[in-house]
Amino acid sequence: MFNFTISMESFSNHFLISMPHLNDPIFTKSLIYICENNSKGSLGLIINKSMVFHNEEDILKKTGLEVIQPAPKVYFGGPVNLEMGLILHNADYEIDGTLTVSNDIALTSNKQILNDLKTGAGPEQFRFSMGYAGWGEGQLEQEIGNGDWLPMPADRDFIFSLPDTIKWKSAATSFGIDIYDLGGAAGIA
């Protein structure tokens, strides 16, 4: 058994790879990008799952993003606050309320980004998500300690360039081991 201390700031700008024993339909084979991790909790976006239970076309019309060609996909960011739109994007773009996660990646929920995207003044690379994954104080660190998630440093190209269908498997095999050989406890919430 490994004994280590988990730093509260260490998981921002990291991916969380869901471990095979997680059988929750939301998080099974999910790859989550952690945007914020501090003493109050953590916020991340699932980056490999499209919205399946909402009409993508209606969401794009309500936001005005249907005018962008090709039309952007709408992603399922997580089960918390599903009516909230968040845009993960390259950090070259910044407006009031933008959370700079790293030198390469930022997160914006300010509605101004929608207008900027429609006029071509928005970020070059972006992913539009509804909802997010959230953890309370110390919860994420506990779940990682339980073996529910395998953290790895994030990569901008991985987020914006790799096809969604292979993101989880690519992340899971990036360590050169078979993730199915790693054990974990059934999560304790």
Side-chain angles (χ1 to χ4, degrees):
M1 182 68 127
F2 294 103
N3 186 8
F4 56 93
T5 304
I6 299 173
S7 165
M8 290 303 290
E9 295 297 324
S10 66
F11 298 113
S12 291
N13 193 38
H14 277 72
F15 293 129
L16 295 180
I17 305 164
S18 67
M19 296 301 287
H21 70 269
L22 278 180
N23 57 9
D24 178 314
I26 291 173
F27 295 114
T28 298
K29 292 191 176 179
S30 285
L31 184 64
I32 300 176
Y33 177 68
I34 297 297
C35 301
E36 189 168 38
N37 176 237
N38 59 41
S39 61
K40 295 177 184 172
S42 303
L43 178 143
L45 295 176
I46 298 171
I47 63 164
N48 65 324
K49 296 184 178 183
S50 296
M51 288 296 282
V52 290
F53 48 87
H54 285 86
N55 187 329
E56 186 174 64
E57 222 173 271
D58 288 344
I59 293 171
L60 290 175
K61 283 181 182 174
K62 286 179 183 176
T63 60
L65 293 179
E66 83 283 1
V67 300
I68 298 174
Q69 292 302 321
K73 287 178 79 171
V74 178
Y75 291 92
F76 173 65
V80 180
N81 206 354
L82 280 170
E83 57 282 344
M84 179 182 205
L86 297 159
I87 298 185
L88 189 64
H89 55 87
N90 58 288
D92 299 340
Y93 174 88
E94 185 177 348
I95 58 174
D96 187 39
T98 295
L99 171 66
T100 301
V101 182
S102 74
N103 291 334
D104 294 327
I105 303 166
L107 179 70
T108 299
S109 62
N110 182 330
K111 290 181 182 180
Q112 177 61 43
I113 194 172
L114 300 175
N115 293 328
D116 290 348
L117 285 168
K118 290 184 280 189
T119 64
E124 180 183 320
Q125 294 178 307
F126 72 95
R127 296 174 62 88
F128 176 47
S129 297
M130 298 299 292
Y132 61 91
W135 294 265
E137 180 182 344
Q139 184 182 2
L140 176 59
E141 290 76 12
Q142 180 180 359
E143 290 181 14
I144 290 170
N146 289 343
D148 296 337
W149 303 100
L150 182 61
M152 72 178 265
D155 177 275
R156 174 179 164 171
D157 291 332
F158 199 94
I159 294 171
F160 297 112
S161 302
L162 200 63
D164 298 325
T165 55
I166 64 169
K167 280 182 175 157
W168 181 85
K169 185 173 183 172
S170 294
T173 59
S174 68
F175 291 96
I177 56 173
D178 185 346
I179 196 167
Y180 289 96
D181 289 341
L182 297 176
I188 301 169

